Amino acid sequence: MKKRYLFPVLLIFLPMLAFGLFSIFDTDAVYSDREKRELTPLPELTAASYADASFMKRFEDYYADTFPLRGGLLAAARRVRSLILLTGLVGGEDVVVLPSARTVAVVPEGGGEAEASEAQELSGILYYGNRLMEIFCESDANLTAYASVLNRLAKAAGRPLYVMLPTPAYTLYAPEGQRAAGTDFAASLDKLKGLLDGPVLLDLDTAMRKAAADDEAIYFRTDHHWTARGAYLAADALARADGLTLPTLGSYASGSRSGFLGSLYNSAAAQSVSSKFDRAPDTVTYYFPQYGYTLDSYASIALDDAERRSLVEPDFAGDSNLYNIFCGGDMPIAHIRSEVGNGRSVFVIRDSYGHALLPFLSDLYEDVYAVDPRYYTADYTLKIGAFCDAHGIDSILVVNYSPMAVGGYWIEFAPYLENLLP
Amino acid sequence: MVFSSLTFLYLFLPLCLICYFASPTITAKNVTLTVFSLIFYAWGEPLALLVMLFSAAVQYAAGRLLASRIPHTARRCVFLAALCISLGLLAVFKYAGLLVSTVDLLPFCRFPVPEIALPIGISFYTFQCLSYTIDVYRRQTEAQTSFLRFLLFVSLFPQLIAGPILRYTDVASQIEDRCHSAKKIFYGSIRFFCGLLKKCAIANYAGEAADALLNGSSCLGLWLGILLYTFQIYFDFSGYSDMAIGLGKIFGFDYCENFRYPYLSVSVTEFWRRWHISLGSFFRDYVYIPLGGKYHMQVRNILIVWALTGLWHGASWNFLLWGLYYAALLLLEKGFLLRLLEKLPRAVGWCWTMFTVLIGWTIFYFTDIGRCLGALKIMFGGGALTAAGVAAALKTNLLFLVLAALASTPFAAMWIGKGMARLRTSDGEASALELTLGTLYCLASLVLCTMLICGSSYNPFLYFRF
């Protein structure tokens, strides 16, 4: 071998070898702050995991997740892409569809196991107008399943049941041409209204469209949740429907925390567009309830394991998800005792959209029971009728992320609601 | 395993190189390379390895029988049996689902559609095996007596899963004995990193951007999307070929070129002489010419070859349509158009070629024929002219498109090559500057591709399943 070529060859391959060895013997990270997720652990090698190649796939994920200097490499990759794609030079009009890892599922006609949907092609996250939003695509089958379970819940509860379906950010902000045919939230609401027999679908759509048109911040730009301002619009709609009055938003004491990079940012963190949000993250504005209250969070339906919390925790530091300023994050069951003094009570069936809503509900109802059916387990035997009777509930509210209920993305929420039926 | 993965770059390749160059003899080197090739293949689909080993064993045994002194009729039977087994495996694993689902379209036919996982690279290694068996049958080459060497020919990991399709006659002598040198490794490395850069820096991004636009439904959006896809498929596939050729060189092999700047072509005929050359020459030598070539029923022969070329690319009817589309274009050019294009300025021929290629990639991209026709209708004015975001997408991707267009021409490579040639020593060896620049290029590409691979969790090669 000619020596003049040997040295360059060694210079090329020795760093690969050295880095490879280092990657084996260094200490593996287990959590990524930037992505807000557990990193893939070293998979266990078994005959089965080898035969079906799942070991190799998991190992590739593990190796990529724990590669030395990965955080710096990700940031550098974004910078390079921004440079090439001129993303720093163009304004807020660029549109990027980012692939999403979400599972697309639709209940087949006649019920049964959810199956993959054609809507998969429409799944993903859209970047447009300096905002990330999850692409929404409604599904008739999921909508029908959702309506059916709501009807049965209302019947089982024997009380007024209100349904809140926030208009998705995609409907409000995506450019007309980007929205695929068949993605029409207003039509979904009309269909749902026609299918409901008993439950009352609150009109959030009008107020949310107006607020979006007026450029009010009702959704975060980097997160799939609504803001407190968006939740206020929903609470106001409920108050009107249930014969109550909510104080004006201007009368609330408020505060804010900046530096929030939400779930959609996490999904897009490897993409060049995410660098825009590094420079301009979201701000979480919160409003303190006007009446005194206590908030107890329970894991058990016996309500005997109370953990005292606050509806608004401005100094929340549990993790970097600042949406958890509201209520401190998830609670399987919560009970708010408010000093509003009107004797009214509400049972809220909700997902994380309820976090930002509960502070306003405490100004409407003396007793607010909130249950998150995603925490259903075999021991979690809460049934709606018995619970409402036991706690003297006046009204019921169902609120959740709309794509979970009527979108072609998940069918998680309707089965969760089924668990509350007798 | 894919080349553009951290596992390959930082674990598999260094370990393979150490073991390979530590092996003292050519036999030991062949054993090492075969073992690593089998590990490479089994890493993705362990059970599919059995299919490849079976296919290799059958063709090896057929080769030995064909080379032995057996009666002509028996020889013919062995040959046909070997072809049937090889093509049968391809038919079962690749086309059974398509055939059954098509039969199910007939009234009263309701057969369950088999869900058979397609072994990676089966189309590539099946064709390599076929070329060997046919050449031995035609007595154009000697049969390989060592199964190890034959298995190395079939399973060589640099080209195993995405080509180029090797001819046994091209590498037979190299398997027996080949030259290793630091010079070959150096230039092989440059070629490898060139391919890696094409894949990671250009093809992957072009693919993301194309998918986003091709989901839309406006005329300009679809044209821009298909233009990006045109770059994606070229840089993806030619990048893989570059990596294969570079790795081959590192291990002492000289593979044939698979792409010669196809987007510079001034006719469709020329395009197919520059695109996926190893596949084109396979069909020319083993299908077109045996059918009679241009001397006997040329139209039929072209239709058959291009129908097969289309179906080779995928088990879906749009690929057949794509193949027949090119058959029609080639017949048109052979009829009169080529002569006409030769009389016109080259720019006219280039515009004609790129236009037809873009339409071809549209048929290729949309595997659902209904969606494909819908997209073509919109592209030719049957829908909205533009949509929100399309102008911004063009603006965002403008620099990328210019760079990709430049990278698909030989100008930069020629310019650098000429510069380096001037600096070479009198005995034609690389100068210190060339060595330094080459090394820096490889290291910079490695860092950049590592960054980009880290940033992308889903990174399949387009040609994986072909």
Side-chain angles (χ1 to χ4, degrees):
Chain A
M1 287 195 179
K2 282 209 164 75
K3 276 186 185 165
R4 63 188 298 118
Y5 293 99
L6 194 59
F7 184 61
V9 164
L10 290 175
L11 265 181
I12 294 166
F13 287 103
L14 281 181
M16 289 166 78
L17 176 65
F19 224 68
L21 286 172
F22 180 65
S23 69
I24 294 171
F25 296 111
D26 71 331
T27 309
D28 292 336
V30 291
Y31 187 79
S32 163
D33 279 333
R34 183 170 208 96
E35 295 155 90
K36 299 183 179 66
R37 67 175 176 92
E38 302 284 336
L39 298 173
T40 311
L42 181 65
E44 191 186 347
L45 178 61
T46 62
S49 69
Y50 179 77
D52 65 10
S54 61
F55 169 79
M56 290 75 124
K57 287 186 186 80
R58 302 266 309 158
F59 183 87
E60 296 265 7
D61 291 344
Y62 153 76
Y63 193 65
D65 269 3
T66 58
F67 196 70
L69 310 176
R70 181 171 177 269
L73 289 166
L74 277 175
R78 278 206 306 278
R79 293 261 180 268
V80 169
R81 286 176 61 124
S82 302
L83 215 66
I84 294 174
L85 302 179
L86 306 175
T87 42
L89 303 181
V90 295
E93 289 303 306
D94 34 344
V95 177
V96 184
V97 176
L98 311 166
S100 163
R102 301 275 199 203
T103 306
V104 178
V106 167
V107 169
E109 277 180 41
E113 283 285 300
E115 55 190 38
S117 154
E118 286 178 10
Q120 191 141 19
E121 288 159 12
L122 299 171
S123 71
I125 295 165
L126 180 75
Y127 170 78
Y128 175 71
N130 203 24
R131 169 186 298 281
L132 294 166
M133 60 203 101
E134 192 142 46
I135 294 174
F136 173 77
C137 172
E138 87 279 7
S139 149
D140 272 354
N142 290 0
L143 189 141
T144 307
Y146 185 63
S148 162
V149 74
L150 290 175
N151 288 340
R152 284 175 287 140
L153 279 172
K155 202 171 170 191
R159 292 161 171 83
L161 187 148
Y162 300 102
V163 181
M164 276 182 185
L165 272 187
T167 306
Y170 184 67
T171 303
L172 298 174
Y173 302 112
E176 194 77 21
Q178 194 67 34
R179 270 178 266 151
T183 301
D184 183 351
F185 188 69
S188 292
L189 289 177
D190 285 343
K191 278 181 217 158
L192 183 62
K193 223 177 271 181
L195 289 167
L196 289 178
D197 180 16
V200 176
L201 181 63
L202 297 174
D203 178 20
L204 308 190
D205 196 46
T206 310
M208 292 187 80
R209 283 179 195 268
K210 183 178 180 305
D214 292 345
D215 218 15
E216 288 181 29
I218 55 172
Y219 275 105
F220 292 108
R221 291 176 300 111
T222 66
D223 195 76
H224 69 286
H225 291 109
W226 55 12
T227 61
R229 182 176 279 270
Y232 175 85
L233 296 178
D236 191 45
L238 173 68
R240 288 167 202 272
D242 211 16
L244 298 164
T245 307
L246 188 65
T248 57
L249 195 61
S251 65
Y252 278 86
S254 67
S256 64
R257 261 180 82 178
S258 59
F260 175 41
L261 293 167
S263 59
L264 299 175
Y265 169 86
N266 293 340
S267 299
Q271 312 288 335
S272 56
V273 293
S274 65
S275 59
K276 293 189 170 215
F277 300 107
D278 290 336
R279 293 191 291 270
D282 266 316
T283 295
V284 181
T285 301
Y286 44 84
Y287 300 90
F288 293 100
Q290 296 192 354
Y291 294 92
Y293 69 90
T294 58
L295 165 62
D296 290 315
S297 165
Y298 303 93
S300 158
I301 61 158
L303 306 187
D304 57 1
D305 55 348
E307 176 202 341
R308 187 55 56 93
R309 289 196 188 183
S310 298
L311 286 165
V312 178
E313 298 183 15
D315 301 323
F316 177 78
D319 59 24
S320 45
N321 181 2
L322 292 187
Y323 182 70
N324 288 343
I325 280 177
F326 304 110
C327 304
D330 284 357
M331 298 175 285
I333 304 174
H335 181 204
I336 303 165
R337 291 183 192 84
S338 166
E339 293 171 5
V340 66
N342 61 6
R344 300 288 299 271
S345 60
V346 67
F347 177 57
V348 186
I349 304 167
R350 54 89 184 209
D351 60 10
S352 57
Y353 263 57
H355 295 4
L357 184 70
L358 289 177
F360 297 117
L361 296 191
S362 76
D363 284 343
L364 288 174
Y365 297 93
E366 202 168 299
D367 273 299
V368 180
Y369 290 91
V371 58
D372 188 338
R374 296 173 303 166
Y375 283 84
Y376 178 85
T377 63
D379 302 329
Y380 185 110
T381 52
L382 191 152
K383 299 298 173 195
I384 189 167
F387 189 88
C388 289
D389 289 343
H391 297 281
I393 301 294
D394 299 324
S395 318
I396 297 160
L397 171 69
V398 179
V399 56
N400 56 270
Y401 184 39
S402 300
M404 277 188 79
V406 297
Y409 301 94
W410 311 278
I411 189 58
E412 286 164 358
F413 213 68
Y416 283 129
L417 294 178
E418 298 269 359
N419 292 322
L420 300 174
L421 290 166
Chain B
M1 196 180 291
V2 293
F3 296 158
S4 57
S5 71
L6 298 172
T7 322
F8 178 82
L9 290 172
Y10 291 97
L11 296 180
F12 183 89
L13 186 58
L15 191 63
C16 178
L17 287 172
I18 289 170
C19 294
Y20 182 81
F21 285 104
S23 305
T25 63
I26 191 71
T27 306
K29 279 184 163 53
N30 283 349
V31 171
T32 306
L33 205 48
T34 308
V35 169
F36 272 93
S37 294
L38 297 181
I39 292 170
F40 178 89
Y41 191 76
W43 183 261
E45 293 183 20
L47 297 181
L49 180 66
L50 300 176
V51 180
M52 189 184 74
L53 289 175
F54 174 73
S55 188
V58 167
Q59 302 307 317
Y60 168 74
R64 294 298 302 270
L65 279 170
L66 291 171
S68 65
R69 292 181 181 177
I70 56 171
H72 179 72
T73 317
R75 200 167 177 273
R76 200 177 174 82
C77 289
V78 169
F79 173 64
L80 289 174
L83 286 194
C84 287
I85 291 173
S86 214
L87 291 173
L89 285 174
L90 190 61
V92 168
F93 283 101
K94 190 164 179 175
Y95 300 108
L98 175 68
L99 283 176
V100 175
S101 57
T102 305
V103 169
D104 278 352
L105 294 175
L106 298 170
F108 312 115
C109 288
R110 286 292 174 273
F111 300 106
V113 178
E115 290 179 6
I116 304 171
L118 178 66
I120 293 169
I122 189 170
S123 305
F124 288 95
Y125 70 70
T126 297
F127 274 32
Q128 287 195 184
C129 287
L130 284 177
S131 82
Y132 165 76
T133 310
I134 296 169
D135 288 350
V136 172
Y137 178 71
R138 289 172 171 174
R139 300 193 195 281
Q140 288 174 344
T141 186
E142 297 288 320
Q144 178 54 261
T145 53
S146 157
F147 181 64
L148 172 74
R149 287 180 191 152
F150 184 71
L151 188 58
L152 177 62
F153 158 68
V154 176
S155 68
L156 253 176
F157 80 83
Q159 94 300 327
L160 174 61
I161 51 175
I165 298 166
L166 293 188
R167 299 284 186 88
Y168 179 73
T169 46
D170 292 335
V171 290
S173 60
Q174 297 176 47
I175 291 172
E176 311 276 337
D177 190 25
R178 56 189 176 272
C179 157
H180 297 93
S181 69
K183 184 177 178 178
K184 275 184 102 168
I185 300 173
F186 178 72
Y187 287 112
S189 306
I190 291 177
R191 188 70 185 266
F192 173 79
F193 282 109
C194 181
L196 190 65
L197 209 55
K198 279 183 178 180
K199 166 68 184 160
C200 297
I202 306 180
N204 284 0
Y205 172 72
E208 277 173 36
D211 286 344
L213 285 158
L214 291 169
N215 262 334
S217 53
S218 73
C219 175
L220 292 177
L222 287 173
W223 277 108
L224 181 58
I226 217 66
L227 181 63
L228 283 159
Y229 181 67
T230 299
F231 285 123
Q232 180 202 0
I233 199 159
Y234 170 66
F235 286 106
D236 192 289
F237 198 12
S238 75
Y240 199 93
S241 289
D242 285 341
M243 286 187 269
I245 292 167
L247 283 172
K249 209 175 264 301
I250 289 171
F251 293 112
F253 291 93
D254 290 309
Y255 294 165
C256 54
E257 288 296 330
N258 211 19
F259 289 86
R260 290 188 200 278
Y261 304 103
Y263 293 153
L264 286 185
S265 306
V266 292
S267 68
V268 176
T269 308
E270 187 188 354
F271 175 79
W272 277 103
R273 288 191 190 123
R274 291 167 173 263
W275 180 277
H276 203 173
I277 297 164
S278 61
L279 181 72
S281 63
F282 179 93
F283 276 114
R284 182 195 62 212
D285 295 345
Y286 297 114
V287 182
Y288 181 68
I289 292 173
L291 282 172
K294 63 180 178 181
Y295 301 109
H296 178 65
M297 300 180 77
Q298 188 184 24
V299 174
R300 180 205 65 175
N301 300 342
I302 286 177
L303 286 171
I304 290 174
V305 163
W306 285 93
L308 292 175
T309 302
L311 283 175
W312 181 89
H313 281 83
S316 171
W317 293 121
N318 74 302
F319 291 114
L320 178 69
L321 186 66
W322 178 76
L324 293 175
Y325 164 78
Y326 274 110
L329 290 176
L330 291 168
L331 286 170
L332 205 63
E333 288 196 353
K334 281 185 197 308
F336 71 97
L337 200 58
L338 207 52
R339 286 191 294 279
L340 180 67
L341 288 173
E342 279 166 5
K343 287 176 191 158
L344 295 169
R346 288 176 65 81
V348 177
W350 182 81
C351 289
W352 152 255
T353 309
M354 285 315 295
F355 174 74
T356 51
V357 165
L358 285 171
I359 301 301
W361 290 137
T362 309
I363 302 169
F364 195 91
Y365 179 85
F366 292 101
T367 49
D368 180 288
I369 289 187
R371 280 194 67 198
C372 172
L373 294 177
L376 285 170
K377 188 181 161 194
I378 293 168
M379 285 165 75
F380 286 98
L385 177 65
T386 187
V390 172
L394 177 63
K395 203 164 57 168
T396 305
N397 290 303
L398 199 58
L399 179 61
F400 174 80
L401 285 169
V402 171
L403 292 177
L406 278 175
S408 61
T409 69
F411 304 132
M414 278 165 58
W415 182 71
I416 293 168
K418 273 185 188 167
M420 290 302 145
R422 264 189 234 125
L423 294 170
R424 295 234 165 100
T425 58
S426 54
D427 56 353
E429 298 297 342
S431 65
L433 181 63
E434 185 180 354
L435 290 171
T436 309
L437 290 176
T439 308
L440 286 176
Y441 169 75
C442 290
L443 289 173
S445 302
L446 176 67
V447 172
L448 182 63
C449 291
T450 303
M451 276 160 36
L452 295 172
I453 294 167
C454 263
S456 118
S457 54
Y458 183 66
N459 195 22
F461 278 112
L462 276 186
Y463 269 70
F464 237 27
R465 293 277 166 190
F466 287 20

